[in-house]
Amino acid sequence: MKDKYFISIVGKSNVGKSTLINYLCNQYITTESNKPQTTRLNILAETKIDGTNLILIDTPGLTIKDSNLLSATMKKSYLRSFENLDLVIILTDISKTKKFEQSILDMIDTNTKVMIVINKIDLLDQNIQEYKKYIKTLFDKKIFFISLKSKIGLDDLIYDGIKQELSIIKSADTNKFNIRKNELIAIQELIRGIIVNNTTQEIPYDSAVKINKSINQKLIHKIEASIFVEKINQRKILIGNNGNMIKLIGSKSRQLLEKKYNKKFYLKLDVCVKKGWKNNFSFLQEVGYL
C-alpha cells in the first residue's frame, strides 16, 4: 500500500469542489463561494480516512470566459491536475449538461482511475431512480449521487468509491507536488477567499493577494501580504471608511488561519493598485499563478 494517494477533484465552477474537499478534510481548507474564480490555482490539502493518507487537489472551475493571461494560467493549472494522479473525481451537479464532463474524460489518460460524482440530488424534482438510470447511460464509470448540503450519499462515496478504488491502484509518480510551497499558496488564496466573500461587483475578480514575508515560528506565524487591485476606487473600497473593510478582511483571515493551522497568526495587509496585472507575466509569476 502506498504512503499517500493523490486525488484531483475537477469540474465546472460552483458544483461544490471546495465544499467536498472541506468535508473530506473535516475543516475549512479552501474557499467556498458561488462566485466564479473562487479557486484560481490547484490547492493541495492533506487528510486521512481510515488510516489512508490522501492529498486532495482543488482545481479552478472552467467557466472562464475572459481571454487574459490570468484565465490562461487557470486553464493550464487545471490541466496539470490530471498528471501523475491516483484518482480523478469529476464533480458535477443535476443542473449541468454532461458534455463538459465527457470532454474531461477525453483528456484523462485511460490508465487513470476516474469516478463521476453528481451533487445536489436533494434538488431533484423528478423520480431519482429514473434520473440515475439516465446518468448511467452517459458514462462508463463508477457514478455516485450525493448532496453535500443534505449529507446524502457521502459514506457511499468515501467507502464504496474512494477507499475501494485506491485499494487496487498501483503507485504513481507524485514527486512533482511541493507541499511546502502549496502551504503559502493556500494561505494567500484563503485571504483572497475572504475578499471574494465580503466584497461585490468587480472586486472579487480584479483582486490578487501576494505574500511578501512569511516567518513561521514555533508559537506564531507572521505573514505580511499585499492585496492588488486594478483601480484606485477599488483600493478605497477595500480599505473602507476608517479602514473598516481591511480590518474586517484581516480579522476574518486571521481567525480562519488560526483555526486551520491551530496556532497564532500575525497578519499585516496593505492594498496596492496595479493596473493590468491580469496580463502582467512577471507579476503573475510573483503571485504564483505562473
Side-chain angles (χ1 to χ4, degrees), residues 41-59:
L41 289 164
N42 292 334
I43 303 296
L44 276 62
E46 295 188 72
T47 191
K48 182 180 287 189
I49 297 178
D50 284 355
T52 301
N53 295 308
L54 307 179
I55 306 294
L56 305 175
I57 307 169
D58 188 13
T59 60

Side-chain angles (χ1 to χ4, degrees), residues 115-162:
M115 297 189 321
I116 308 292
V117 179
I118 313 293
N119 188 25
K120 305 181 184 178
I121 61 165
D122 57 304
L123 301 179
L124 274 178
D125 56 1
Q126 64 187 80
N127 186 296
I128 189 169
Q129 296 305 323
E130 290 298 318
Y131 178 78
K132 287 182 177 181
K133 286 181 182 179
Y134 163 69
I135 293 297
K136 288 176 181 178
T137 65
L138 301 180
F139 303 110
D140 184 24
K141 300 290 181 183
K142 272 194 172 182
I143 304 173
F144 292 87
F145 300 86
I146 69 170
S147 168
L148 286 162
K149 181 179 179 180
S150 301
K151 304 296 186 291
I152 298 171
L154 296 176
D155 283 347
D156 290 342
L157 171 63
I158 292 171
Y159 297 103
D160 297 338
I162 295 172

Side-chain angles (χ1 to χ4, degrees), residues 2-3 13 49 54 70 76 87 95 116 121-122 147 168 174 176 190 193 226 240 243-244 250 258-259 274:
K2 293 178 59 180
D3 292 333
S13 293
I49 297 178
L54 307 179
L70 171 63
K76 186 175 181 181
L87 177 64
S95 68
I116 308 292
I121 61 165
D122 57 304
S147 168
I168 56 175
T174 54
K176 72 186 182 72
L190 183 148
S226 295
N244 289 337
E258 290 180 346
K259 182 178 180 180
K274 193 172 187 67

Side-chain angles (χ1 to χ4, degrees), residues 67-175:
S67 58
N68 55 51
L69 186 56
L70 171 63
S71 294
T73 64
M74 289 171 65
K75 294 174 185 177
K76 186 175 181 181
S77 181
Y78 183 92
L79 294 173
R80 278 204 309 270
S81 73
F82 295 152
E83 301 172 6
N84 301 323
L85 291 168
D86 296 303
L87 177 64
V88 175
I89 295 176
I90 300 178
L91 185 64
T92 184
D93 68 36
I94 61 169
S95 68
K96 302 291 190 292
T97 62
K98 302 302 177 279
K99 292 181 180 179
F100 179 83
E101 286 67 35
Q102 185 57 54
S103 70
I104 297 176
L105 286 170
D106 294 340
M107 291 188 285
I108 299 174
D109 188 281
T110 54
N111 294 320
T112 301
K113 292 284 184 181
V114 180
M115 297 189 321
I116 308 292
V117 179
I118 313 293
N119 188 25
K120 305 181 184 178
I121 61 165
D122 57 304
L123 301 179
L124 274 178
D125 56 1
Q126 64 187 80
N127 186 296
I128 189 169
Q129 296 305 323
E130 290 298 318
Y131 178 78
K132 287 182 177 181
K133 286 181 182 179
Y134 163 69
I135 293 297
K136 288 176 181 178
T137 65
L138 301 180
F139 303 110
D140 184 24
K141 300 290 181 183
K142 272 194 172 182
I143 304 173
F144 292 87
F145 300 86
I146 69 170
S147 168
L148 286 162
K149 181 179 179 180
S150 301
K151 304 296 186 291
I152 298 171
L154 296 176
D155 283 347
D156 290 342
L157 171 63
I158 292 171
Y159 297 103
D160 297 338
I162 295 172
K163 287 278 290 184
Q164 185 172 323
E165 289 298 302
L166 295 182
S167 68
I168 56 175
I169 287 174
K170 296 180 180 180
S171 295
D173 177 13
T174 54
N175 292 329

Side-chain angles (χ1 to χ4, degrees), residues 221-245:
H221 193 159
K222 298 180 179 180
I223 296 286
E224 295 182 10
S226 295
I227 302 170
F228 290 88
V229 290
E230 294 265 2
K231 304 170 185 176
I232 294 175
N233 70 306
Q234 292 173 337
R235 180 178 184 272
K236 292 179 180 178
I237 292 171
L238 273 178
I239 293 173
N241 293 331
N242 300 317
N244 289 337
M245 178 57 76

Side-chain angles (χ1 to χ4, degrees), residues 27-48:
Q27 63 170 306
Y28 187 102
I29 297 293
T30 182
T31 303
E32 301 174 19
S33 175
N34 60 3
K35 299 175 183 178
Q37 293 196 20
T38 303
T39 302
R40 284 179 179 165
L41 289 164
N42 292 334
I43 303 296
L44 276 62
E46 295 188 72
T47 191
K48 182 180 287 189

